[in-house]
Amino acid sequence: MLPAATLESAAALLDLLRSRGLTVATAESCTGGLIAAALTAVPGSSDVVLGGFVTYSNGMKTRLLGVPEEILSTVGAVSEACAERMASGALHAAGADIAVAVTGIAGPGGGSAEKPVGLVYIGVARRGMPTEVRRHLFPGDRAEVRAATVAEAVQSTMRMAEPLTR
């Protein structure tokens, strides 16, 4: 279950997107659809949310979002390059105005010295603008990392939606 504050932020994001005439899509790995769930928990979200992609495996990232296998084999799925391609791939595949993508290591296993548990990359793409990707290191257990990722993804999408031009 997501915190009430995250759901309130999701509602505020949808209001902003609606006021700007923008649509959104999601591409999720470590959150497994929680961002889409937060957005669609808001009544009336269907006029703004086009859909989402849960691409937990590398193969799905490639097939559905066009993430090159070379990125996955060289820098890996948990990387800035992968988050950027996931966001731009979702933007294109869904035909949305904005797409948010997340990829990371929620734990409890799977971390390493270079890529510890809690490492998450969040990418946001908007038509006609450069894709923005930010690296985060969220503390906590699996549920806390995933919840923090959803909250930050909503805020990152809001930042990308705010300006009419950049």
Side-chain angles (χ1 to χ4, degrees):
M1 190 68 172
L2 293 169
T6 298
L7 297 176
E8 290 168 11
S9 293
L13 170 60
L14 294 175
D15 286 343
L16 176 62
L17 293 170
R18 196 174 288 112
S19 74
R20 301 288 160 94
L22 300 172
T23 57
V24 66
T26 63
E28 303 180 62
S29 187
C30 61
T31 51
L34 288 175
I35 299 167
L39 295 175
T40 59
V42 179
S45 60
S46 61
D47 64 341
V48 177
V49 179
L50 297 184
F53 303 87
V54 177
T55 56
Y56 214 65
S57 72
N58 286 351
M60 292 296 279
K61 287 174 181 67
T62 298
R63 281 192 296 281
L64 295 179
L65 302 174
V67 176
E69 290 181 14
E70 181 181 343
I71 286 175
L72 298 168
S73 65
T74 57
V75 295
V78 181
S79 65
E80 180 177 349
C82 184
E84 187 279 327
R85 292 305 287 262
M86 287 174 68
S88 60
L91 189 75
H92 175 74
D97 297 304
I98 296 179
V100 59
V102 298
T103 183
I105 303 169
S112 67
E114 298 84 29
K115 295 183 180 183
V117 169
L119 176 64
V120 176
Y121 289 89
I122 300 175
V124 185
R126 181 172 174 181
R127 292 199 179 280
M129 300 171 113
T131 300
E132 293 183 1
V133 179
R134 291 194 173 136
R135 179 186 187 275
H136 301 274
L137 189 56
F138 296 118
D141 63 18
R142 182 177 182 82
E144 291 167 325
V145 168
R146 287 165 43 110
T149 301
V150 173
E152 184 56 40
V154 168
Q155 292 302 313
S156 295
T157 306
M158 183 142 344
R159 284 190 295 274
M160 183 64 88
E162 284 175 342
L164 290 174
T165 58
R166 278 196 174 184

